[in-house]
Amino acid sequence: MNDSTELARTVVTALRGAGAREAVLAPGSRNAPLSFALFDAAQAGALRLHTRIDERTAGFLALGLAKVTREPAAVVCTSGTAVANLLPAVMEAAHAGIPLVAVTADRPARLRGTGANQTTEQAGVFGAFAPTLDVAAADLDEQLAFLRRHRHRRPLHLNVQLDDPLLPDDGWDVGSVPEWVDPDLGPVQTQHLLAPGPRTVVVAGDDAGPVARVIAERAGWPLLAEPSSGCRTGDNAIRAYRLLLNGALGARVERVAVLGHPTLSRPVARLLARPDVEVVSAHHRGMWTRRPFAVDHEAIHLLATDETDRSWLDEWRSADRSVSQQLDRLLAAEPDLTPHEVAGAVSRALPPGGLLFVGASNPVRDLDLMVARYEVGGRRKVIANRGLAGIDGTTSSAIGAALGRPQSTRALALMGDVTFLHDTTGLFLGPREPRPDLTIVVVNDDGGSIFATLEQGAPEYADRFDTLFGTPHGADLGSLCAAARVPHLAVRSLPELEQALATPNGGIEVVEARVRRDNRADLEKRIRALSP
């Protein structure tokens, strides 16, 4: 057995020993030893192998797989600029606390500092986002120790130096590896009991988990939960919370219990920054756990006691019903399909046991206002790339999530047109690749309409808005989907959209909901003006 083959097989064995059951490969020459080793492992049933032609797409596919399984997923690429294309996915994984393993093939160290083809400084290329093990020889114990040391809480980088010859000269009996056991995270260090008294709301950001709902229900507090919080369920969830925070109820909040990673709402950010509000925070996943606002108390776990006085919660519920009804009437009166109605239709189409992946920018915010009131225990999983809240790689992450959660009763994705165009290579799967049943709903308003709702959308900037922010593209999404052999349907009304969502074709398909952009700012202004 040649050295590169031995090293590659050792790396794949280490990945398996660290719990990786999914690997995504971007083809190349220098990573050929790793490719052959992955293929043999997949043939033996030791892992599942996915192949993509673009490293950025491959990275986000692995991210989506790891996001739903909570187990390491590996992305494997060749040397040179291929490595740099993994950076966006690695950054997102780092800030979201996702166990992504970047395995990059490299030339031998003796070629560094020379003009050798496709040779650059790869060790440490991901900086603080992913620690690097620069691997030059087959050492299973060292690689296993490196992969297990970080307890599935962050991305890691295996940089593998591979020398000629790059092709195997023998067969590989893959065999078994010791079963992965989750490391003992140790005893809980601190707890904080939220005593009754102050008028409290529970803010549940991305990945907060069901504990936020449990706290809110036990204490009788309003639950202000983002769609991807994992707890937008039950009777305490307030649908129109971000509208209510701007009014009298929001002004009366005295304490906030915050869990997860809240990033969606300016009203929530203003609430958390208020000097007159006590903030109690639970630790959250990701490389930066320090909050961007002052925290009065912080703990590993937050606890609450039962509260019999529900008058504070009743005020929020009453106001929420009023504003929600006004919002529904406002949208129903619009002559054209609105992005909010698209989000609402997608939310209603998600059955118990279903999976919904939501893109950044407007779609996740529209969903936040429109999400259906889900029952507790429905096992609906709503997720998003909120570590850095970028639009990069959304289609690939959604496909990865759908592949990683095959038990889903239905898989949906909701994203904007710019987000969709940003990851067009995510649609191009080879004929041997597994394809999930995934309906991708693209809200197409021909550009970046979110900027129309921000300061740069003011009338005094109208003469340069489209050039700098709106960026209309005029892309024919149907033709793009046809090139990828992905079924496509364009709809312009709510009944058409609901019919399309009710009759999925199976496999990956795209439903394009065409909406206006020229009225987005005015629509948002009227929505923000609603009050109980």
Side-chain angles (χ1 to χ4, degrees), residues 18-80:
R21 297 294 177 264
E22 306 278 1
V24 185
L25 171 69
S29 178
R30 185 56 49 173
N31 62 335
L34 292 163
S35 304
F36 279 105
L38 288 168
F39 183 86
D40 289 342
Q43 289 295 104
L47 53 77
R48 183 165 60 161
L49 178 62
H50 313 263
T51 304
R52 294 295 186 271
I53 60 174
D54 170 48
E55 287 81 13
R56 188 180 71 173
T57 288
F60 278 100
L61 179 72
L63 178 73
L65 287 161
K67 197 172 186 72
V68 295
T69 64
R70 293 294 190 187
E71 296 176 343
V75 55
V76 183
C77 74
T78 193
S79 62

Side-chain angles (χ1 to χ4, degrees), residues 258-446:
V258 58
L259 300 92
H261 185 49
T263 57
L264 275 188
S265 166
R266 286 188 177 187
V268 167
R270 288 193 291 268
L271 172 68
L272 293 169
R274 274 171 46 187
D276 63 323
V277 171
E278 177 188 359
V279 176
V280 182
S281 170
H283 282 279
H284 64 96
R285 299 170 66 92
M287 64 179 289
W288 288 352
T289 57
R290 186 166 65 88
R291 298 293 190 181
F293 42 82
V295 172
D296 296 281
H297 305 282
E298 189 167 32
I300 302 296
H301 291 300
L302 302 184
L303 305 174
T305 57
D306 294 336
E307 175 60 69
T308 56
D309 182 5
R310 304 279 162 146
S311 57
W312 172 242
L313 174 62
D314 290 341
E315 287 187 69
W316 278 84
R317 284 174 169 166
S318 175
D320 189 38
R321 283 192 297 270
S322 173
V323 171
S324 296
Q325 290 168 1
Q326 293 176 59
L327 174 60
D328 290 339
R329 288 195 295 268
L330 184 156
L331 296 173
E334 288 296 299
D336 302 296
L337 179 65
T338 66
H340 304 80
E341 290 174 308
V342 176
V346 171
S347 176
R348 293 189 299 273
L350 185 66
L355 170 71
L356 171 58
F357 197 101
V358 191
S361 194
N362 273 333
V364 68
R365 290 173 171 82
D366 297 340
L367 184 69
D368 190 38
L369 278 178
M370 302 298 296
V371 67
R373 186 181 293 278
Y374 295 137
E375 76 281 6
V376 175
R379 301 188 66 81
R380 294 173 178 85
K381 193 171 186 66
V382 181
I383 57 176
N385 286 340
R386 300 301 302 174
L388 289 178
I391 66 171
D392 206 359
T394 302
T395 297
S396 297
S397 291
I399 291 173
L403 288 170
R405 194 175 188 256
Q407 73 273 22
S408 297
T409 55
R410 176 88 188 270
L412 293 158
L414 174 68
M415 65 188 72
D417 51 303
V418 176
T419 298
F420 181 71
L421 292 173
H422 212 273
D423 192 24
T424 54
T425 51
L427 294 177
F428 289 85
L429 282 65
R432 297 180 180 86
E433 294 300 309
R435 291 173 178 261
D437 292 332
L438 173 66
T439 302
I440 302 173
V441 179
V442 180
V443 186
N444 187 2
D445 56 13
D446 193 28

Side-chain angles (χ1 to χ4, degrees), residues 18 70-72 97-101 131 144-156 180-187 189 285-286:
R70 293 294 190 187
E71 296 176 343
I98 303 298
L100 180 71
V101 184
L144 275 172
F146 175 76
L147 291 170
R148 290 179 172 179
R149 188 180 307 135
H150 296 281
R151 299 180 174 180
H152 290 195
R153 291 179 171 179
R154 65 181 301 177
L156 301 170
W180 166 253
V181 178
D182 265 323
D184 181 9
L185 298 183
Q189 297 177 11
R285 299 170 66 92

